[in-house]
Amino acid sequence: MGKEVIICLDIGGTNCRIGLVDRAYEVYAQQILGTAGLAKEDFMSGLLQLIGQYRETYQEDFQIKAVSLGFPSTIDRTRRKLLSTPNIEGMDNIEVADILEERLKLPVYLEKDVNLLLLYDLFSLQLEEDSTVIGIYFGTGIGNSIYMDGRLLYGRNGVAGELGHIPQLHADTVCGCGNKGCIEPIGGGRCLEELCAGKFAGTRIRDIYKRYWDTPELKRQVEAMSIPVATEINILDPDYVILGGGLLQMEGFPLKALEENIYRHARKPYPAENLRFLYSNANQENGIIGAGIYGWKKWREVEKNETSYV
Ligand SMILES: [Zn+2]
């Protein structure tokens, strides 16, 4: 008998990663595929086919116990259904867990991508299980995950932590969500794309901080990044603040200025005087390992109750 593993997927708007994760969170047989290729017919059929074939390839060498998937989506409170997926067509209001379980006859677990990143960060940074931790990940949008008293915060509808959509007074930019005045279009990566297409035309996005950090436009954008972080700090007084995402990885990113802006907007003396910033270790495998951590946590709950699954 081979090792016990969970098939883990990290699904993004551009790429999907699939791999096997064992109980010690080691990854095996990792593959990367283009999301567009999976969606040739419709995404759900492509996904079923991918998992089916992958399972067939590895089921002789491994004991496959479950499937755990991270989606760039809002997910219902029961973690069975995708509510909306802005970057993948046809993945709104889909009962993904039920459909996959029915076809695969394996337990299927769903979670939001940034929640899996935070679970990975908690594990890799070895933070205490009962801490309150917030993760803010700056990419095209602003991803957020809140971990309190040993678990992820979901909220009534399952969509807690939509931090990019904190409203700004008198801002009238229309956000991807349809509302006017959200912080995301001012502080997220979309703003950099616009600058590279306009004011700083001819600049590659990844060079923008290196070349233009000292301009009012970039200073404003970095201050806008600090607003949602300081807001959440002032509400939750977290033990740790984890910052990550592609923007922070860019050459010349003004990390110190971001921290100073967060401090400036945080309530004095506390929580401002006792902030603990940590940085997400950027690695392509993080989403898959996060899916493994989540999947095994759910699997252990099943084991504990000794209920046979199927
Ligand atoms: Zn919005």
Side-chain angles (χ1 to χ4, degrees):
M1 287 291 250
K3 264 201 164 121
E4 291 181 323
V5 291
I6 291 179
I7 297 179
C8 293
L9 288 98
D10 173 18
I11 295 161
T14 312
N15 289 314
C16 293
R17 291 162 204 280
I18 185 166
L20 302 168
V21 178
D22 73 10
R23 284 180 189 265
Y25 311 140
E26 286 290 324
V27 182
Y28 307 88
Q30 197 187 155
Q31 294 174 15
I32 302 171
L33 304 97
T35 306
L38 273 182
K40 246 182 223 147
E41 290 165 41
D42 69 288
F43 187 80
M44 202 59 210
S45 322
L47 185 64
L48 261 166
Q49 207 178 2
L50 166 70
I51 300 172
Q53 284 172 357
Y54 188 82
R55 178 194 201 180
E56 227 164 84
T57 309
Y58 295 106
Q59 65 187 2
E60 292 209 352
D61 296 329
F62 293 90
Q63 291 184 63
I64 296 167
K65 306 301 257 185
V67 180
S68 177
L69 307 98
F71 277 94
S73 312
T74 50
I75 302 179
D76 78 322
R77 190 185 159 83
T78 64
R79 284 353 213 186
R80 305 294 297 166
K81 176 182 175 183
L82 300 188
L83 299 176
S84 82
T85 311
N87 294 319
I88 305 175
E89 207 174 311
M91 291 304 274
D92 296 345
N93 286 312
I94 305 263
E95 314 262 357
V96 172
D98 288 349
I99 297 170
L100 291 178
E101 282 185 355
E102 165 79 29
R103 294 283 293 272
L104 300 167
K105 310 288 181 218
L106 280 173
V108 172
Y109 311 122
L110 298 185
E111 192 46 89
K112 186 167 142 178
D113 53 2
V114 286
N115 281 344
L116 298 181
L117 282 184
L118 187 68
L119 289 181
Y120 172 80
D121 286 337
L122 289 170
F123 162 72
S124 75
L125 297 165
Q126 299 185 305
L127 305 185
E128 305 82 25
E129 272 216 357
D130 59 350
S131 4
T132 293
V133 184
I134 60 174
I136 298 109
Y137 304 92
F138 293 95
T140 308
I142 300 174
N144 176 220
S145 174
I146 302 166
Y147 181 89
M148 292 177 77
D149 304 325
R151 59 197 183 95
L152 294 163
L153 182 73
Y154 289 159
R156 173 167 160 84
N157 300 290
V159 303
E162 286 296 306
L163 192 60
H165 308 282
I166 283 193
Q168 302 303 292
L169 196 61
H170 306 312
D172 56 4
T173 315
V174 178
C175 178
C177 76
N179 281 353
K180 256 190 189 175
C182 297
I183 192 76
E184 189 168 283
I186 315 169
R190 192 80 73 199
C191 168
L192 303 181
E193 285 170 22
E194 277 164 20
L195 287 171
C196 287
K199 171 108 183 172
F200 304 131
T203 309
R204 292 176 304 183
I205 288 186
R206 62 186 153 129
D207 294 331
I208 195 168
Y209 290 114
K210 191 172 62 176
R211 291 181 60 179
Y212 295 112
W213 155 236
D214 218 14
T215 59
E217 287 80 6
L218 271 295
K219 288 196 164 154
R220 178 173 183 266
Q221 186 269 332
V222 171
E223 180 168 12
M225 289 172 76
S226 79
I227 299 296
V229 183
T231 303
E232 200 159 86
I233 287 171
N234 288 341
I235 296 170
L236 297 177
D237 186 12
D239 292 293
Y240 301 96
V241 178
I242 300 179
L243 301 174
L247 266 55
L248 273 68
Q249 302 302 316
M250 284 161 58
E251 200 181 336
F253 181 83
L255 206 52
K256 194 157 173 282
L258 175 62
E259 285 191 6
E260 282 167 2
N261 275 306
I262 295 169
Y263 173 80
R264 191 152 58 84
H265 289 292
R267 175 77 160 94
K268 316 292 180 314
Y270 298 108
E273 302 302 340
N274 198 18
L275 297 175
R276 284 192 285 197
F277 293 112
L278 295 172
Y279 293 92
S280 185
N281 298 313
N283 190 320
Q284 307 292 5
E285 281 185 351
N286 296 4
I288 284 193
I289 301 173
I293 294 168
Y294 179 69
W296 280 115
K297 186 170 154 40
K298 301 297 267 183
W299 178 257
R300 282 193 294 267
E301 285 167 17
V302 173
E303 273 180 331
K304 229 186 265 169
N305 295 330
E306 292 180 276
T307 46
S308 89
Y309 171 71
V310 184

